[in-house]
């Protein structure tokens, strides 16, 4: 059987057009982007062009783009950078209960180290943050609020514009991890009033190991760097720039901004076909998360009575994922699904499907057959 990759939210394949943009930088060009000679200036020009595209993808300013080694670092820079530079009268931080580990664990670490006081914002059973829940926790002592744009496990979208409005009214900074949303649906940080936004290359068919934190002028002055050195990236991220990676992130951002509308429409049809077919072929299929407000490429499905890990190993070579994570030898259920009120059992029966730019109808039809067979096999063994 053919391999089918339905794990785009974990990492999307590199677009050949992105590879083309990166190849000359990797193969033929030399120079440090900080050098003043013509070689260095050529590298700097490639970086500047990428800055425009990354800013364009999220509605930010090119001068507000700080290139990092991915969204994990961007999230760390936002939270730890803000905490380190915090004024004494703003010791509190709010993060949602469904954030990626790079936000959730960073916030927890800051709290355990006594650097901030942390409050976790709960989510509705549909998996999104209610702006009223943020408002309840906000106060003049809050430094920063972090709520992701779209959840990586369920695809559920948060009302980040309404949340940003409340956060700004309280004088706090709003950080939004847009890693999964950027490139899939329109995102405009200026219109929405977000202060800091994280993005990642390998989620948008760009290279891995490169991303950015995009900030307003004011927000960036309120951060301390994580990495000290030569003062690159406005002093917020020292280190000679990864020019090929940055050129790749820029090209991926440009293509994603140009094509996200048509791509989302196409991928949404395939995702709906997958969900509808599984629902009609199998009994007791439940979708996790509010299906009326989620990314077009993602479905998180519970197959009642079928352990998700067993389903996954029975449907190889169709690649999907479960939200469970191994830590210290024990398997934990997805924190996202548990925060939405699912039992551990229900969480362990849930599978995430995430589609993308290169997913075809033939692949979806193959996946439907493989998943339906796997679920039936696992259920019959129980
Ligand atoms: N935030 C979200 C929502 C993610 O899905 C991921 C990747 N799984 C990250 C942050 C981390 O991104 P990176 O791999 O670029 O560090």
């Amino acid at each position: 059987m053919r391999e089918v990759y339905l794990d785009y939210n974990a990492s999307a394949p590199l677009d050949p057009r992105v590879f083309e943009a990166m190849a000359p930088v990797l193969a033929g060009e030399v120079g440090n982007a900080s050098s003043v000679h013509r070689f260095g200036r050529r590298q700097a020009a490639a970086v500047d062009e990428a800055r425009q595209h990354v800013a364009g993808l999220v509605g930010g300013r090119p001068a507000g783009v700080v290139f990092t080694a991915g969204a994990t670092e961007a999230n760390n820079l936002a939270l730890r950078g803000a905490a380190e530079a915090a004024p004494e009268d703003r010791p509190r931080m709010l993060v949602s209960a469904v954030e990626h580990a790079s936000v959730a664990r960073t916030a927890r670490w800051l709290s355990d180290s006594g650097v901030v006081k942390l409050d976790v914002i709960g989510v509705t059973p549909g998996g999104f943050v209610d702006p009223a829940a943020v408002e309840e926790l906000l106060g003049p002592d809050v430094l920063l609020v972090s709520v992701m744009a779209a959840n990586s496990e369920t695809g559920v979208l948060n009302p980040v514009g309404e949340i940003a409005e409340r956060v700004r009214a309280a004088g706090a900074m709003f950080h939004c991890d847009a890693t999964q949303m950027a490139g899939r649906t329109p995102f405009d940080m200026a219109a929405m009033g977000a202060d800091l936004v994280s993005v990642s290359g390998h989620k948008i068919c760009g290279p891995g190991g490169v991303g950015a934190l995009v900030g307003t002028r004011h927000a960036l002055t309120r951060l301390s760097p994580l990495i000290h050195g030569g003062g690159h990236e406005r002093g917020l991220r020292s280190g000679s720039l990864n020019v090929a990676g940055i050129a790749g992130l820029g090209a991926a951002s440009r293509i994603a901004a140009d094509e996200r509308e048509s791509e989302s429409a196409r991928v949404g049809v395939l995702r709906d076909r997958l969900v509808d077919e599984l629902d009609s072929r199998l009994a007791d299929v439940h979708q996790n998360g509010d299906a009326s407000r989620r990314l077009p490429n993602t479905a998180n499905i519970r197959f009642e009575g079928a352990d998700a890990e067993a389903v996954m190993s029975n449907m190889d070579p169709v690649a999907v994922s479960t939200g469970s994570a191994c830590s210290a030898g024990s398997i934990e259920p997805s924190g996202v699904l548990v925060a939405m009120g699912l039992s551990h059992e229900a969480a362990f029966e849930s599978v995430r499907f995430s589609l993308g730019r290169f997913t075809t109808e033939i692949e979806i039809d193959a996946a439907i057959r493989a998943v339906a067979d796997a679920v039936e096999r696992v259920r019959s063994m129980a």
Side-chain angles (χ1 to χ4, degrees):
M1 196 192 146
R2 63 186 297 151
E3 288 186 341
V4 180
Y5 186 75
L6 299 180
D7 204 11
Y8 273 67
N9 289 10
S11 194
L14 191 76
D15 190 307
R17 295 170 289 178
V18 173
F19 180 74
E20 260 173 48
M22 296 173 69
V25 188
L26 275 170
E29 293 179 13
V30 66
N32 187 314
S34 302
S35 300
V36 292
H37 49 61
R38 60 169 56 226
F39 296 90
R41 286 201 308 275
R42 266 203 300 268
Q43 300 284 81
V47 170
D48 281 345
E49 190 188 330
R51 238 181 256 293
Q52 307 270 352
H53 295 314
V54 174
L57 182 69
V58 295
R61 300 168 311 122
V65 175
V66 178
F67 288 114
T68 63
T72 296
E73 188 191 328
N75 288 339
N76 270 265
L77 177 59
L79 271 66
R80 290 167 59 191
E84 191 150 313
E88 257 173 34
D89 58 347
R90 288 191 181 267
R92 284 176 64 219
M93 200 174 264
L94 314 180
V95 308
S96 94
V98 293
E99 294 301 309
H100 184 259
S102 54
V103 168
R105 290 195 187 158
T106 302
R108 179 61 58 200
W109 176 76
L110 286 168
S111 160
D112 290 348
S113 321
V115 182
V116 300
K117 292 187 183 120
L118 175 66
D119 280 303
V120 176
I121 313 159
V123 293
T124 65
F128 58 91
V129 173
D130 181 348
V134 180
E135 186 134 37
E136 234 167 68
L137 290 168
L138 272 171
D141 56 347
V142 173
L143 170 72
L144 177 138
V145 177
S146 183
V147 177
M148 72 206 316
N151 187 267
S152 39
E153 290 185 38
T154 61
V156 170
L157 308 174
N158 281 311
V160 279
E162 287 172 65
I163 294 169
E165 207 175 291
R166 286 163 174 77
V167 173
R168 287 203 137 192
M173 282 189 278
F174 181 55
H175 167 248
C176 184
D177 178 357
T179 300
Q180 296 291 350
M181 188 172 185
R184 299 216 169 100
T185 50
F187 186 94
D188 188 335
M189 66 182 281
M192 145 195 334
D195 297 285
L196 296 164
V197 170
S198 303
V199 293
S200 172
H202 70 127
K203 310 289 177 166
I204 57 170
C205 299
V210 62
L213 183 68
V214 189
T216 60
R217 196 186 317 269
H218 183 56
L220 293 181
T221 62
R222 293 169 75 185
L223 300 182
S224 279
L226 303 182
I227 298 173
H228 300 268
H232 308 72
E233 297 298 275
R234 304 165 59 111
L236 284 171
R237 210 285 189 170
S238 286
S240 298
L241 296 178
N242 164 18
V243 181
I246 288 169
L249 175 63
S253 299
R254 173 177 52 75
I255 295 166
D258 285 351
E259 299 182 0
R260 66 185 151 198
E261 213 172 307
S262 55
E263 180 176 309
S264 289
R266 189 189 74 83
V267 166
V269 169
L270 294 178
R271 189 272 316 270
D272 290 346
R273 176 190 179 106
L274 173 75
V275 173
D276 293 347
E277 278 294 317
L278 291 174
D279 197 32
S280 75
R281 289 182 191 208
L282 295 164
D284 302 319
V285 170
H286 311 281
Q287 289 201 69
N288 296 320
D290 188 335
S292 69
R293 49 187 305 155
R294 67 175 173 186
L295 292 172
N297 78 316
T298 309
N300 192 303
I301 303 182
R302 176 184 174 206
F303 302 102
E304 217 179 302
D307 178 74
E309 297 285 338
V311 170
M312 264 178 57
S313 52
N314 271 277
M315 60 192 259
D316 182 63
V318 178
V320 294
S321 80
T322 68
S324 51
C326 285
S327 54
S330 67
I331 307 257
E332 300 281 336
S334 150
V336 170
L337 298 180
V338 170
M340 290 160 58
L342 268 74
S343 66
H344 286 203
E345 185 190 9
F348 280 131
E349 294 173 345
S350 298
V351 176
R352 176 187 73 185
F353 299 87
S354 52
L355 291 59
R357 185 169 299 163
F358 305 106
T359 308
T360 64
E361 202 174 314
I362 291 170
E363 288 179 328
I364 289 300
D365 288 343
I368 291 165
R369 285 192 299 275
V371 177
D373 288 351
V375 171
E376 273 171 355
R377 206 170 310 134
V378 172
R379 278 178 177 166
S380 71
M381 291 185 304

